[in-house]
Amino acid sequence: MELNLTGVTDDDLIKDGDEASFMADVVDASQHTPIIVDFWAPWCGPCRTLGPQLEEAVKAAKGAVKMVKVNADEAQMIMGQLQIQSLPTVYAFYKGQPIDGFQGAVPPSEIKDFIDRVIKASGGEAPDDGLNAAIDAAEEMLGEGAFEDAAQTFAAVLGEDPNNAKAYGGQVRALIAMGELDQAEALLNGAPIEISKAPELEAAHAQLLLARQAADAGPVAELTAAVEAAPDDLQARFDLAQALYANGDAQGAVDHLLELFKQDREWNEGAAKAQLFTIFDALKPEDPIVLNGRRKLSSLIFA
């Protein structure tokens, strides 16, 4: 039997439970350690996908949480008490009470986030395998312009964890920063299916699209003059927005796209709105440009 770093076996971490053992396996056991309860059924297709992924995440937590698998067909009383109406359903118990949960199959990255939340809510600390520290270091390198060093560090993380969405997205962004757009696109296209829809990869895809646009962007001064001479020339305003973003002025690009949307939201099949969303996806969600831009766009949509 393979041991984890705390010296407990997988059998100690994961077990099958039922109504008769629920009080001991979940309520009592959760007084000291959070217990993840996976409600599944043999006829539930998504359960067959989620269950093994959940088990791997629990094992990776190295004893910070434990897991009990409950066949919902044989636990109707508990299903009723917890008002569970669909499968799979996952609950986390601590001190005898449910503290978190979700329904349906979710990506591995969301499972890990769930496990981390449960550990934190119970006052524990998720095991640090060093990968997060390496990712933080790579992000710092990227910010300082050391693109090749960042790319190598992200690649090293992916060597340890091929499904690490943060490292995968970082690797793509490093390639974009190095001007290797074709290589970045190939890497995105080859992303593991488990993380293909992760926010980090969506952001990298948006940055790649904007980088390709930047290669064709016109001169800012000329486009600015064209817009000033003809404020209702929407194509010129759109081109100016692209040029501004390509030159590092994301705020200016957003302002012109908002003005374009205000003048004609349907222009070029809604190109202004689509471009705004691309920029929002490329930036960090908490960026003031994103927060203010989304708010202004919403006010225009619902005005």
Side-chain angles (χ1 to χ4, degrees), residues 4-275:
N4 66 26
L5 295 187
T6 60
V8 295
T9 68
D10 292 348
D11 289 340
D12 293 325
L13 296 175
I14 302 167
K15 64 169 60 178
D16 291 311
D18 53 29
E19 285 189 341
S21 67
F22 194 85
M23 182 62 69
D25 290 344
V26 177
V27 177
D28 293 343
S30 69
Q31 298 298 323
H32 306 290
T33 303
I35 304 296
I36 307 297
V37 185
D38 176 23
F39 291 94
W40 67 282
W43 48 263
C44 170
C47 296
R48 291 194 292 270
T49 300
L50 177 67
Q53 294 176 342
L54 195 58
E55 291 184 29
E56 288 303 313
V58 169
K59 294 174 186 176
K62 301 171 183 175
V65 296
K66 295 183 179 181
M67 176 177 169
V68 174
K69 299 180 290 183
V70 176
N71 185 338
D73 289 344
E74 301 173 355
Q76 291 300 308
M77 184 177 68
I78 296 174
M79 293 283 288
Q81 291 174 337
L82 294 175
Q83 299 182 338
I84 297 174
Q85 298 180 345
S86 64
L87 298 177
T89 290
V90 176
Y91 271 112
F93 282 77
Y94 186 61
K95 299 292 185 183
Q97 299 294 325
I99 61 171
D100 204 339
F102 64 87
Q103 292 182 333
V106 300
S109 59
E110 292 187 27
I111 294 175
K112 184 181 185 305
D113 289 343
F114 168 72
I115 297 292
D116 289 346
R117 286 200 311 271
V118 171
I119 294 172
K120 184 176 181 180
S122 65
E125 184 174 348
D128 182 8
D129 54 10
L131 297 186
N132 287 334
I135 292 172
D136 290 342
E139 290 289 354
E140 187 174 344
M141 296 173 195
L142 202 55
E144 295 173 348
F147 305 136
E148 292 188 8
D149 290 341
Q152 291 176 3
T153 304
F154 285 129
V157 173
L158 291 173
E160 295 290 332
D161 181 7
N163 288 349
N164 192 304
K166 291 181 180 179
Y168 210 101
Q171 178 78 323
V172 173
R173 289 185 286 110
L175 290 170
I176 293 172
M178 294 162 62
E180 301 290 348
L181 303 188
D182 290 341
Q183 192 174 346
E185 184 172 6
L187 187 62
L188 270 177
N189 291 338
I193 187 65
E194 294 87 352
I195 62 172
S196 60
K197 299 298 182 182
E200 293 86 356
L201 271 70
E202 296 287 353
H205 183 272
Q207 290 188 19
L208 177 61
L209 178 59
L210 292 169
R212 294 229 183 258
Q213 293 176 355
D216 300 322
V220 171
E222 291 182 14
L223 290 169
T224 300
V227 171
E228 291 175 348
D232 57 349
D233 185 343
L234 302 187
Q235 183 63 60
R237 190 177 293 277
F238 187 84
D239 292 343
L240 174 58
Q242 286 189 328
L244 287 169
Y245 189 89
N247 283 272
D249 186 1
Q251 183 64 68
V254 168
D255 290 343
H256 279 286
L257 289 169
L258 287 170
E259 176 60 29
L260 195 164
F261 183 84
K262 181 178 180 181
Q263 291 189 38
D264 185 356
R265 65 180 61 191
E266 301 299 332
W267 177 81
N268 198 14
E269 299 182 347
K273 182 180 178 182
Q275 186 74 355

